[in-house]
Amino acid sequence: MSRFKMGTKIYSGNNATENLKAVQCQRVLVICDPFMVQSGMVKNVTAVLDEMKAPYQIFAEIVPDPTIEVVTKGVAYAAHCQPDMIVALGGGSALDTAKAVRQIYRQGVEDMAVQLVCIPTTSGTGSEVTSFAVISDPSVNGKYALVDDAMIPDIAILDPVFTLTVPQNVTADTGIDVLTHTLEAYVSTDATDFTDACAEKAMRIIWQDLAKVVADGENQLLREKIHNASCLAGMAFSEASLGICHSLAHALGGRFHIPHGRANAILLPHVIAFNAGLETSQDTQVLTKYAAAANILGLQSMTERTTVNLLIAGIQKLTRKMNIPKFVTELGIDEEEFIAAIPEMAAAALKDKCTVTNPRKATAEDLAKIYARICRGGY
């Protein structure tokens, strides 16, 4: 028996931020990163709140890979201003922080409902509709994937205006993160017809339009499509969960602080090869599912095995086109330091919650071999 729930109300398209006016609230806490304030982008939100005559305060101390310390500060800020609505504006870091802040703050104000509105400014994490939040712990150079249905936002606003100025490299990294979300949700052990429908649509859009958006970031129509694809992918993996590509990326990013989407892009071809069992002679249901994904993307060969190889080659061609490197050593990471860190990262990835729904059971040794490939060679 399976289930599919959609607890988030979604507004999308040009000027979607105007839909904030329909939300009843008394006090608002806006959570964003410093750039949103410095660039004036936060005014797209505060101007609407001014029209609503809703008093607000801004917490703008979000950092990339949000830490436990930042979440703690956000909770203290919320306790001070006592909002009945939190508006998160930014990339995955701002949204994940807001979800954790709301979750902890709400536990202390059980008599008051606290709405969460998420307005993503990048097209990648899908955090605006998921039960996931990733928080870093610098003391152990690690990341924790928090999963709780209570963290699902109440409202998601997908306004492409916020994405028009996103740099090419960030657009590429976050877009490949979306593709990773779709493929991992598609082969997850918890996948259903409903999650597959969201994943299939999202992967099709990313495959067709991501490179075009990276080349022409001011194309608002394509920006909107990629933004919607990110959300659809979030809907898919919020229900189906993910796999070891994200587990490996969490541990890699926690240790070497590289962009999450870029880590996924480097790892994804090797994860697909492992999950599909390309190193064996046995054809599996996972191989068949990856071949089906390849067919959706217009890739087909004589056998499922060669079709999956075409999928891997296609992903590598796409990442090369967007100047995403193939190996971690191309990111300035010292090879010896990376190799020394592999056992610890593999152990952390094995414990990651995303590993639970990976379609092929992996050992720490399997994960270590994948890490070795992104340093020393591979496909």
Side-chain angles (χ1 to χ4, degrees):
M1 195 170 80
S2 64
R3 66 170 187 169
F4 184 86
K5 63 188 180 304
M6 188 60 231
T8 307
K9 183 180 292 185
I10 301 170
Y11 297 102
S12 66
N14 247 354
N15 300 315
T17 309
E18 292 290 315
N19 287 286
L20 265 179
K21 294 175 184 176
V23 185
Q24 297 296 317
C25 61
Q26 295 180 336
R27 291 177 303 279
V28 182
L29 174 61
V30 179
I31 295 180
C32 62
D33 60 63
F35 177 75
M36 291 294 117
V37 176
Q38 294 160 9
S39 66
M41 212 172 281
V42 73
K43 291 179 181 176
N44 289 313
V45 172
T46 58
V48 177
L49 296 176
D50 286 335
E51 280 189 59
M52 296 165 61
K53 300 189 184 315
Y56 61 85
Q57 293 189 37
I58 299 175
F59 176 69
E61 297 185 37
I62 304 303
V63 296
D65 298 327
T67 62
I68 295 172
E69 181 184 2
V70 170
V71 171
T72 303
K73 283 184 181 180
V75 172
Y77 212 90
H80 173 72
C81 70
Q82 297 187 320
D84 61 344
M85 182 168 81
I86 294 175
V87 177
L89 176 70
S93 296
L95 273 52
D96 283 4
T97 300
K99 288 160 78 170
V101 167
R102 198 267 295 254
Q103 178 77 341
I104 297 168
Y105 169 65
R106 195 163 53 176
Q107 292 170 0
V109 289
E110 294 180 5
D111 59 334
M112 183 173 71
V114 184
Q115 300 177 87
L116 176 59
V117 179
C118 286
I119 308 176
T121 60
T122 59
S123 305
T125 67
S127 185
E128 67 275 7
V129 291
T130 75
S131 58
F132 287 69
V134 179
I135 305 299
S136 297
D137 183 355
S139 68
V140 295
N141 282 323
K143 290 185 178 184
Y144 304 117
L146 311 178
V147 187
D148 191 326
D149 283 352
M151 286 196 297
I152 296 174
D154 300 291
I155 296 172
I157 294 177
L158 309 178
D159 194 332
V161 70
F162 290 107
T163 68
L164 294 176
T165 56
V166 175
Q168 281 187 323
N169 64 315
V170 177
T171 301
D173 290 345
T174 54
I176 288 294
D177 195 17
V178 176
L179 183 62
T180 307
H181 289 158
T182 66
L183 289 168
E184 291 218 283
Y186 198 60
V187 300
S188 164
T189 56
D190 281 353
T192 68
D193 287 343
F194 303 96
T195 60
D196 281 358
C198 294
E200 288 170 7
K201 180 64 174 178
M203 72 173 71
R204 219 181 263 120
I205 292 172
I206 292 297
W207 197 256
Q208 291 173 355
D209 296 329
L210 178 59
K212 298 174 189 174
V213 169
V214 170
D216 179 14
E218 294 182 4
N219 187 321
Q220 190 159 329
L221 179 61
L222 289 183
R223 283 286 192 185
E224 183 176 342
K225 287 175 69 68
I226 296 294
H227 218 31
N228 290 343
S230 175
C231 187
L232 282 166
M235 292 165 63
F237 84 78
S238 186
E239 293 296 295
S241 194
L242 295 163
I244 58 171
C245 193
H246 269 76
S247 303
L248 292 162
H250 289 155
L252 176 59
R255 177 65 179 81
F256 290 101
H257 311 291
I258 66 176
H260 174 67
R262 186 152 292 204
N264 274 323
I266 294 171
L267 287 160
L268 184 58
H270 306 284
V271 169
I272 292 173
F274 170 78
N275 283 340
L278 294 186
E279 84 285 4
T280 72
S281 58
Q282 184 179 2
D283 289 350
T284 64
Q285 288 184 339
V286 186
L287 178 75
T288 298
K289 199 71 186 282
Y290 276 123
N295 292 163
I296 289 165
L297 303 179
L299 304 171
Q300 191 164 11
S301 186
M302 297 294 291
T303 67
E304 290 181 343
R305 189 170 292 269
T306 53
T307 297
V308 174
N309 275 308
L310 279 180
L311 174 63
I312 291 171
I315 291 169
Q316 291 178 320
K317 181 179 179 181
L318 178 62
T319 54
R320 279 197 307 272
K321 190 172 184 178
M322 299 186 299
N323 296 315
I324 294 176
K326 192 175 180 181
F327 304 116
V328 292
T329 41
E330 297 176 67
L331 299 174
I333 295 174
D334 180 78
E335 182 176 340
E336 289 185 8
E337 185 183 357
F338 178 79
I339 292 171
I342 285 179
E344 183 181 338
M345 292 191 299
L350 190 63
K351 295 176 184 176
D352 193 291
K353 289 186 177 181
C354 295
T355 300
V356 175
T357 47
N358 194 68
R360 181 180 177 185
K361 187 173 176 58
T363 65
E365 183 182 1
D366 293 326
L367 301 180
K369 286 179 180 177
I370 293 173
Y371 276 135
R373 291 190 188 106
I374 66 172
C375 179
R376 294 174 176 173
Y379 294 89

